């Protein structure tokens, strides 16, 4: 092909020369052919890309088609039930609800109800009329040691940092939370003015980098924490251990997204990728974690203190439970992030193969808390691909008390799943710091869509509950949802995840065999 390119180039130049000799007006052809020939010659002699070196000029088509691949598949190839991480049906559901368009569908389900993994609600003959249930139920978060409990909605905005998301996206999310009466988690990137300006309820997420509450050398600062944790908008504090998309890795904000303002908000220097350490420095053992919880509770004025965790080593979570029992100090909530959770930037191996999936993790966390006899003190928040009323019921059925959604709320903002969150080129202005792109997202318009999506999704969940004869999220148990586990075998979650007996993990003699190894390994002296 290199030889063919040279012959073709000489031939074109010769023909063009003849045409120009006949009529000088054909000189415009040189403006077309000369740049193309120059590009081809460059391809021949560059050494970084073999395809372009072996196939001058023509090889560039390969990279062009590859770059267009995601858009071609999304718009012309994938079916309504294809598409990852969210298929077209899921995205369309969010779009329609955020715009308050009809979300009904004609002609029945497009899902194969006989596929392994298909799930459904077990409705009741004693279904409750929807007008008789509370369309906006609240869940009280706060243990017996919390002096300022918070009444949360059952569906809220999950952790997404300013920096990963644009200023306008954060403003729209928080304004939507204000309109709808639900909370907005800041993500580990710090407490920015845009989380506070609209006046929506805020859950302040504090990660291993201690952004917005750190000393110059990156340690936790009590003074900076107190200054922000006592603000009226801040309703709860969440200590982030790990997130589902990259547990054990720490957060990453590419330097392309780090502006002077973001550096100031996070209390860091500019010019490098902002990478959170993989572990905390404010505590190193479960017992020290309990001291840290008491410290945060005292300096926040008694607000709910919780943790966000993607379950990995089971013994480590059991160790936290043992520490709570040993010190008589309780977390107020635990946010369980599934391994299927999303992020703006993560190594593929972490997104694909690290962290326990949400359903397994929810069942494990609930059973541990119940096994240690402390579930009544602690609320469980589920996070991981929750975008519909059924997703909420499924999480509640396994053990959650309420749910968070990140990507669902991004869809409500206008996200089209372009998969460019890490590149600062998000075409919808959601996950970018490019002012030219951010300008297209109008907070006043998108905040209403966020509020509508949340309201309609909660309404859907409550309608499903009413159909099952239930009137409150607390009534949803593991026998509410069924799953096809084999072609001709169906189980409820009660069968798939049999509950542990209350208090059975307090004494070695009563620990179930499946938990005994991890129970013995767990110690309050170390993770």
């Amino acid at each position: 092909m290199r030889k063919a390119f040279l012959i073709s180039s000489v031939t074109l130049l010769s023909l063009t020369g003849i045409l120009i000799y006949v009529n000088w007006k054909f000189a415009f052809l040189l403006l077309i052919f000369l740049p193309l020939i120059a590009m081809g010659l460059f391809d021949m002699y560059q050494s970084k890309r073999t395809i372009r070196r072996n196939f001058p000029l023509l090889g560039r088509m390969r990279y062009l088609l590859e770059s267009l691949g995601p858009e071609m598949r999304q718009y012309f190839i994938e079916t309504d039930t294809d598409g990852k991480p969210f298929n077209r049906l899921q995205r369309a559901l969010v779009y329609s609800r955020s715009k308050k368009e009809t979300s009904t569908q004609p002609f029945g389900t497009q899902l194969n109800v006989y596929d392994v993994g298909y799930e459904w609600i077990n409705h009741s003959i004693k279904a409750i009329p929807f007008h008789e249930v509370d369309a906006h139920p609240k869940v009280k978060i706060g243990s017996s040691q919390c002096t300022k409990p918070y009444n949360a909605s059952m569906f809220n905005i999950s952790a997404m940092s300013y920096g990963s998301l644009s200023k306008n996206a954060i403003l729209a999310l928080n304004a939507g939370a204000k309109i709808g009466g639900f909370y907005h988690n800041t993500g580990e990137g710090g407490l920015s003015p845009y989380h506070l300006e609209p006046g929506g309820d805020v859950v302040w997420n504090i990660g291993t980098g201690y952004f917005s509450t750190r000393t110059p050398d990156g340690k936790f600062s009590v003074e900076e924490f107190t200054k922000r944790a006592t603000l009226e908008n801040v309703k709860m504090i969440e200590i982030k251990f790990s997130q589902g998309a990259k547990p054990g890795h720490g957060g990453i904000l590419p330097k392309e997204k780090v502006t002077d303002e973001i550096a100031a908000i996070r209390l860091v220097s500019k010019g490098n990728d902002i990478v959170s350490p993989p572990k905390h420095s404010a505590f190193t053992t479960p017992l020290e974690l309990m001291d840290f919880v008491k410290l945060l509770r005292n300096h926040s004025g008694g607000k709910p203190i919780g943790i966000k965790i993607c379950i990995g080593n089971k013994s480590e979570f059991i160790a936290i439970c043992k520490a709570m029992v040993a010190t008589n100090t309780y977390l107020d909530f635990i946010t369980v992030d599934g391994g299927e959770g999303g992020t703006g930037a993560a190594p593929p191996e972490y997104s694909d193969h690290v962290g326990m999936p949400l359903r397994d993790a929810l069942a494990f966390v609930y059973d541990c808390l119940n096994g240690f006899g402390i579930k009544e003190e602690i609320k469980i928040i589920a996070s991981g691909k929750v975008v519909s009323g059924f997703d909420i019921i499924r999480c509640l059925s396994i053990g959650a008390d309420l749910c968070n959604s990140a990507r669902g709320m991004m869809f409500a903002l206008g996200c089209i799943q372009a998969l460019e969150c890490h590149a600062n080129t998000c075409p919808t202005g959601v996950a970018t710091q490019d002012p030219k792109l951010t300008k297209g997202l109008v907070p006043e318009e998108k905040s209403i869509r966020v509020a509508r999506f949340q309201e309609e999704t909660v309404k859907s969940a409550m309608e499903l509950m009413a159909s099952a004869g239930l009137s409150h999220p607390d009534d949803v148990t593991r026998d509410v949802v069924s799953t096809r586990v084999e072609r001709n075998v169906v189980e409820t979650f009660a069968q798939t995840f049999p509950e542990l007996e209350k208090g059975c993990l307090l004494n070695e003699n009563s620990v179930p065999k499946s938990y005994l190894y991890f129970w013995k390994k767990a110690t309050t002296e170390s993770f």
Side-chain angles (χ1 to χ4, degrees):
M1 288 301 297
R2 292 158 64 91
K3 185 176 181 181
F5 169 74
L6 290 173
I7 293 172
S8 299
S9 298
V10 171
T11 302
L12 283 173
L13 288 175
S14 300
L15 289 173
T16 303
I18 294 171
L19 290 173
I20 293 173
Y21 180 77
V22 174
N23 189 331
W24 66 270
K25 292 183 179 179
F26 284 103
F28 79 90
L29 292 175
L30 293 175
L31 298 176
I32 300 174
F33 294 140
L34 286 178
L36 291 175
I37 292 171
M39 290 167 62
L41 291 172
F42 175 80
D43 289 344
M44 283 180 62
Y45 293 103
Q46 59 83 34
S47 59
K48 292 184 178 180
R49 296 190 175 184
T50 304
I51 294 293
R52 284 170 52 184
R53 186 176 173 87
N54 287 340
F55 299 88
L57 199 60
L58 191 62
R60 291 175 180 259
M61 290 297 295
R62 184 258 185 193
Y63 300 99
L64 174 63
L65 293 173
E66 185 179 52
S67 67
L68 294 175
E71 289 80 6
M72 296 291 287
R73 287 192 294 272
Q74 185 179 107
Y75 292 115
F76 301 108
I77 299 173
E78 71 180 38
T79 67
D80 286 347
T81 55
D82 291 333
K84 302 294 181 183
F86 291 85
N87 63 42
R88 193 186 300 272
L89 285 178
Q90 292 171 309
R91 302 195 303 267
L93 179 69
V94 178
Y95 297 148
S96 63
R97 285 182 172 165
S98 67
K99 299 173 186 176
K100 214 155 189 177
E101 298 172 348
T102 178
S103 59
T104 57
Q105 65 181 27
F107 233 64
T109 181
Q110 294 189 44
L111 306 178
N112 187 340
V113 299
Y114 298 103
D115 274 348
V116 172
Y118 177 73
E119 298 169 325
W120 64 92
I121 295 281
N122 299 317
H123 65 282
S124 173
I125 293 174
K126 300 181 294 181
I128 303 171
F130 181 61
H131 69 270
E132 294 182 14
V133 302
D134 184 356
H136 303 283
K138 296 292 184 178
V139 180
K140 182 181 177 182
I141 301 178
S143 67
S144 57
Q145 299 167 346
C146 175
T147 58
K148 287 186 179 178
Y150 174 66
N151 290 319
S153 171
M154 63 186 291
F155 191 48
N156 305 277
I157 301 170
S158 194
M160 293 181 285
S161 303
Y162 170 54
S164 294
L165 266 58
S166 68
K167 173 184 78 173
N168 286 7
I170 296 295
L171 286 169
L173 289 171
N174 194 261
K178 173 72 171 177
I179 295 168
F182 50 98
Y183 70 70
H184 177 196
N185 191 305
T186 65
E188 68 171 310
L191 187 63
S192 75
Y194 312 115
H195 290 106
L196 301 172
E197 182 182 315
D201 292 348
V202 168
V203 174
W204 184 13
N205 177 296
I206 299 175
T208 56
Y210 305 119
F211 300 127
S212 292
T213 179
R214 57 186 272 148
T215 60
D217 62 349
K219 304 298 182 182
F220 178 77
S221 168
V222 175
E223 293 75 18
E224 296 290 351
F225 173 78
T226 305
K227 191 190 308 180
R228 293 166 176 81
T230 52
L231 294 172
E232 179 61 27
N233 297 52
V234 178
K235 302 300 182 183
M236 302 197 297
I237 313 297
E238 182 178 79
I239 306 165
K240 177 191 172 183
F241 276 87
S242 53
Q243 66 185 88
K246 48 190 174 189
H249 190 279
I252 304 170
L253 184 66
K255 61 184 178 183
E256 292 79 14
K257 286 188 171 185
V258 182
T259 63
D260 291 328
E261 181 184 42
I262 290 171
I265 290 168
R266 297 195 179 198
L267 304 180
V268 299
S269 57
K270 188 186 171 187
N272 299 298
D273 293 344
I274 300 178
V275 181
S276 304
K279 64 178 182 178
H280 281 271
S281 59
F283 54 87
T284 58
T285 71
L287 290 177
E288 289 178 3
L289 169 62
M290 294 303 106
D291 291 335
F292 190 61
V293 168
K294 287 189 281 189
L295 175 73
L296 298 190
R297 189 173 279 142
N298 291 336
H299 284 271
S300 66
K303 294 177 180 179
I305 309 296
I307 63 173
K308 176 181 180 179
I309 188 168
C310 176
I311 299 297
N313 292 323
K314 292 182 177 181
S315 59
E316 294 176 348
F317 184 77
I318 293 175
I320 293 174
C321 294
K322 283 186 174 182
M324 284 193 279
V325 172
T327 61
N328 196 34
T329 302
Y330 305 119
L331 295 165
D332 297 296
F333 66 94
I334 297 172
T335 301
V336 181
D337 207 18
E340 64 269 47
T343 182
E349 292 87 349
Y350 277 82
S351 290
D352 294 342
H353 300 293
V354 183
M356 188 182 292
L358 181 59
R359 296 176 215 179
D360 307 270
L362 278 177
F364 173 72
V365 169
Y366 177 89
D367 287 340
C368 282
L369 296 179
N370 193 47
F372 280 99
I374 55 177
K375 175 61 188 75
E376 289 81 1
E377 298 280 358
I378 304 165
K379 292 295 186 288
I380 298 175
I381 305 171
S383 176
K385 295 191 77 173
V386 180
V387 297
S388 71
F390 177 75
D391 294 336
I392 292 175
I393 300 299
R394 179 171 52 206
C395 292
L396 299 184
S397 178
I398 301 174
D401 296 288
L402 60 155
C403 296
N404 287 349
S405 176
R407 287 168 290 182
M409 298 297 178
M410 290 174 67
F411 288 138
L413 287 175
C415 167
I416 61 172
Q417 196 169 279
L419 305 181
E420 296 182 19
C421 311
H422 63 299
N424 204 33
T425 55
C426 171
T428 59
V430 176
T432 178
Q433 297 305 314
D434 186 333
K436 296 188 293 294
L437 295 170
T438 300
K439 187 177 180 181
L441 196 161
V442 181
E444 293 78 12
E445 170 66 26
K446 300 301 183 180
S447 61
I448 297 172
R449 296 193 180 187
V450 169
R452 284 174 182 163
F453 166 60
Q454 192 270 354
E455 179 184 22
E456 293 299 311
T457 305
V458 171
K459 178 182 175 182
S460 169
M462 293 309 299
E463 286 180 336
L464 290 173
M465 278 187 223
S467 296
L470 308 172
S471 59
H472 192 273
D474 292 343
D475 301 329
V476 182
T477 56
R478 290 188 181 178
D479 59 2
V480 171
V481 177
S482 289
T483 307
R484 186 176 299 285
V485 294
E486 294 181 29
R487 187 176 61 84
N488 60 341
V489 178
V490 172
E491 292 182 354
T492 65
F493 285 145
Q495 296 169 287
T496 306
F497 305 108
E499 289 190 25
L500 295 193
E501 194 173 320
K502 184 177 180 180
C504 70
L505 297 180
L506 291 170
N507 188 294
E508 182 177 346
N509 295 328
S510 59
V511 175
K513 186 177 180 180
S514 60
Y515 278 69
L516 190 57
Y517 170 81
F518 302 106
W519 191 93
K520 287 182 176 180
K521 188 179 177 183
T523 170
T524 59
E525 301 296 332
S526 66
F527 285 111

